[in-house]
Amino acid sequence: PFTPDPEQDAQWNRGAYLVQSLGHCGACHTPRGVGFQEVTMDETGAKGDKFLAGAQVENWNAVNLRNLWTVPDMVQLLKTGQNRFATVSGSMVDVISHSTQHFSDEDLTAMAVYMKSLPAERPAPVEPPAQVVAAAVPEDTYRTPGGLGYMQFCSDCHRPNGEGVPGVFPPFGGNHTIAADDPTTLIHITLTGGQTAVTEAHPRAFHMPGFAKLADAEIAQILSFVRGNWGAGAAPISAEQVAQARATLDPAIDDATFETPRLADMLAAPNAEQLVRGMRLNAETRDLLPDNVGDDLNCTSCHLNAGTVADGSPYVGITAFFPSYQLRAGKVIAMEDRINGCFRRSMNGKPLAKEGDDMKAMIAYFDWMKGETKPEDKVPGRGIGKVDTSLTPDPVRGKDIYAEQCAACHGENG
């Protein structure tokens, strides 16, 4: 039975009751002993310093809750599944969706007050500024395999500087999943993917895909890059750790025939610096070529992940098919003409100098993407897939779909 602490006020005792008893938070967040018992439970109800100190449950890391965040930050997470530091994952998604989002604000505040009062071995958290991530892209992004892997597979959602998208994709700075001593959750969600909690505040679930198709070493490089830049000194992750998690989780692997080129492989090329520049001109076109781009687009707005995604207008094999006849131009055009056509139309801008270094870098990148493709080959995943022409256009329904599926990222007014 719960025994109130007479030295604490009513709010603290209410929070202690909810956390210790009714909420049974320790069932996941407290380490277990040899008999699978919570190591701090005893017949008096006393709680030791291991209570809520974090544990590994169902191949997820149940985080150390002792003095973790400010009271408002903890309340926000329990109410919405998100706060400025983190988005819940694993079993905690169900806890938020089916339980704590329905608590009263008074009860959530009481729980947060109690958890914040628990002494922790780590230094007390310091109130961070509203922006908890570095504004700049990490210096090693474009010269390490982990950095280029991050740019290819992670940055579209979490952004090149790790800031995420507020209310949609979590930031990395200050994120306990990134910085945890135990990287179980980080490896788990990378291999299997996950989704956000559905709550009144966030009624749409956002999904993270699993990346089990990447090799253990690739995942280790990417996650070590993430922890090295946003993990507050967290240790790197080894390929052996990823392999062990893979063996336990047995995640599904996409068996599509399209083989995604790995941007990290550019580092082994003799013209690596030029190739990386060409890739960046695709991914950061607006910022790197402001005089040539007249709107808010980058090449990767259409050619997803710098042209490496099946049915996302990939560049794989592209230069093998040029020069070629273009119906719009009414003549045979070179690759340079095709690129400048995009700058003029899609980007409402100005063409690049055909003999300039930037054009040469883009062509070099496309040539690297060509691989062994020959003009007569068919490249799986080329283009944007098939469109069902039997569908009837419906702008009214389209407006509803935009509000449901698109506005979270692109804004209500586009």
Side-chain angles (χ1 to χ4, degrees):
F2 175 74
T3 303
D5 185 341
E7 296 184 4
Q8 300 289 347
D9 62 19
Q11 183 185 52
W12 187 97
N13 274 298
R14 176 67 174 170
Y17 164 67
L18 290 169
V19 170
Q20 293 177 14
S21 304
L22 195 60
H24 60 276
C25 303
C28 288
H29 292 271
T30 297
R32 298 274 179 166
V34 66
F36 203 62
Q37 81 283 10
E38 294 179 37
V39 295
T40 58
M41 295 286 280
D42 62 29
E43 66 277 4
T44 69
K47 306 296 179 183
D49 60 3
K50 296 298 183 184
F51 180 62
L52 303 184
Q56 195 175 123
V57 181
E58 297 175 339
N59 300 300
W60 296 96
N61 176 38
V63 69
N64 183 342
L65 296 175
R66 301 174 70 89
N67 197 12
L68 177 60
W69 294 313
T70 66
V71 169
D73 285 322
M74 181 61 80
V75 169
Q76 184 182 16
L77 187 94
L78 294 173
K79 190 75 173 179
T80 71
Q82 304 177 24
N83 64 18
R84 54 184 167 154
F85 302 107
T87 297
V88 298
S89 57
S91 303
M92 197 65 191
V93 171
D94 288 338
V95 173
I96 301 293
S97 294
H98 301 303
S99 184
T100 60
Q101 73 155 317
H102 304 293
F103 284 27
S104 68
D105 291 343
E106 291 78 12
D107 279 347
L108 291 178
T109 300
M111 294 171 68
V113 165
Y114 169 69
M115 286 186 280
K116 176 135 184 78
S117 75
L118 299 176
E121 293 180 359
R122 62 173 178 268
V126 177
E127 179 70 15
Q131 184 74 3
V132 297
V133 297
V137 175
E139 293 183 0
D140 56 342
T141 299
Y142 299 106
R143 56 174 187 261
T144 62
L148 286 172
Y150 175 82
M151 286 301 298
Q152 180 171 3
F153 298 109
C154 315
S155 67
D156 274 0
C157 295
H158 298 288
R159 317 313 300 151
N161 67 347
E163 68 183 350
V165 178
V168 183
F169 306 120
F172 285 165
N175 190 317
H176 65 264
T177 298
I178 304 300
D181 291 337
D182 182 349
T184 299
T185 290
L186 185 59
I187 298 174
H188 190 148
I189 200 168
T190 303
L191 284 170
T192 66
Q195 70 174 52
T196 58
V198 175
T199 63
E200 183 177 355
H202 300 287
R204 176 185 171 185
F206 287 92
H207 294 257
M208 174 175 163
F211 290 93
K213 193 170 186 177
L214 299 184
D216 296 336
E218 290 179 288
I219 292 175
Q221 290 167 346
I222 293 170
L223 297 186
S224 295
F225 168 83
V226 169
R227 282 163 68 86
N229 284 287
W230 297 290
I237 290 173
S238 68
E240 290 73 22
Q241 287 173 290
V242 179
Q244 184 177 4
R246 187 190 297 272
T248 301
L249 298 170
D250 191 24
I253 296 180
D254 177 18
D255 59 356
T257 56
F258 181 86
E259 183 58 37
T260 302
R262 304 295 201 264
L263 297 183
D265 291 344
M266 293 188 298
L267 296 175
N271 62 334
E273 185 175 348
Q274 184 186 45
L275 294 178
V276 171
R277 173 67 179 176
M279 182 278 293
R280 294 189 64 183
L281 289 172
N282 277 269
E284 308 167 71
T285 323
R286 178 187 57 187
D287 294 334
L288 297 181
L289 298 172
D291 294 335
N292 300 91
V293 178
D295 52 26
D296 286 337
L297 296 178
N298 299 303
C299 296
T300 195
S301 299
C302 296
H303 304 277
L304 305 184
N305 288 19
T308 64
V309 177
D311 298 323
S313 294
Y315 297 136
V316 177
I318 187 67
T319 57
F321 307 116
F322 282 86
S324 67
Y325 180 81
Q326 187 183 48
L327 185 62
R328 181 191 292 119
K331 61 181 181 181
V332 173
I333 64 170
M335 190 75 237
E336 291 85 348
D337 299 313
R338 182 67 183 88
I339 292 170
N340 277 335
C342 282
F343 275 103
R344 287 191 178 96
R345 289 184 302 276
S346 300
M347 296 187 176
N348 192 34
K350 300 176 182 177
L352 295 177
K354 288 188 176 181
E355 297 302 319
D357 290 340
D358 289 330
M359 177 64 82
K360 290 179 179 178
M362 294 187 82
I363 295 294
Y365 177 60
F366 293 153
D367 280 340
W368 178 80
M369 281 282 194
K370 180 178 71 173
E372 301 298 322
T373 306
K374 299 181 289 294
E376 64 271 19
D377 290 343
K378 291 187 178 296
V379 178
R382 188 183 179 197
I384 57 171
K386 300 295 183 182
V387 176
D388 185 353
T389 57
S390 68
L391 295 174
T392 302
D394 183 349
V396 176
R397 175 64 180 142
K399 182 178 180 180
D400 291 339
I401 294 173
Y402 180 88
E404 294 170 1
Q405 303 291 334
C406 313
C409 291
H410 294 285
E412 294 182 4
N413 64 354

